[in-house]
Amino acid sequence: MPVSSSPLATEPPEAPAVRPAPRDCRDLFWSFTWLALQGFGGVLAVVQRELVDRRGWLSNEEFIEDWAVAQILPGPNVVNLAVMIGDRYFGWRGAAAALAGMLLLPSLVLLALALVYARFAQHPAVAGALRGMGAVAAGLVAGVALRMAVALRTHPLGAAGGAVFAAGTFAAMALLQWPLAAVLLAIGGAACAATWRKLPA
């Protein structure tokens, strides 16, 4: 009598989960428009939540890698990141749509707020509110930095190695006041070299 095979052996393998992605260039435009309109006090505090947590277009590790590249390119970091993501999905059309989303409506809002600020800037309540927002913006950036540090656990250098380079970067910029180009060339170059040596052949 033939022996029946186990039901587990006949089950087809599970299909890999479909990675979330923008549907089209219009989706890119409105997504980055919404992202930019939330960016009071700095878009960095919003961009990771939108792209990693809410939309799932990037993993946390991918976000850190792309953000590192966006930082060393000329121009605003988040604009560079938008162009990179748009190009990745839809080529130059996606890059243009993401760039337009980052700049078009937010620029109109900025112009309107600039007119209001010019009229009421001398009011003590307005000046106090802006000082308070500065503290909030600093807290938002610090929170994003802590969330990004979590990904160092899976980095080839490990958490300890990443912490050493992070501390060196902080010391070079905040204490020694090196120019950004020198920090990128010296510490960034050393970090790239150390990571390359840790990667499997």
Side-chain angles (χ1 to χ4, degrees), residues 99-113:
L99 179 63
M102 284 298 305
L103 299 179
L104 187 58
L105 260 63
S107 296
L108 298 177
V109 173
L110 177 62
L111 290 173
L113 290 177

Side-chain angles (χ1 to χ4, degrees), residues 145-200:
L146 291 175
R147 292 191 59 200
M148 292 174 68
V150 173
L152 293 177
R153 292 179 299 183
T154 59
H155 193 276
L157 293 177
V164 168
F165 281 106
T169 302
F170 175 81
M173 297 190 68
L175 304 179
L176 302 178
Q177 297 184 357
W178 286 10
L180 180 59
V183 174
L184 290 174
L185 287 174
I187 301 179
C192 289
T195 303
W196 178 76
R197 288 172 61 90
K198 290 284 187 177
L199 293 176

Side-chain angles (χ1 to χ4, degrees), residues 65-75 77 80 180 184-185 188 192:
E65 292 172 2
D66 287 354
W67 188 256
V69 174
Q71 282 190 308
I72 64 174
L73 295 174
N77 301 339
N80 295 340
L180 180 59
L184 290 174
L185 287 174
C192 289

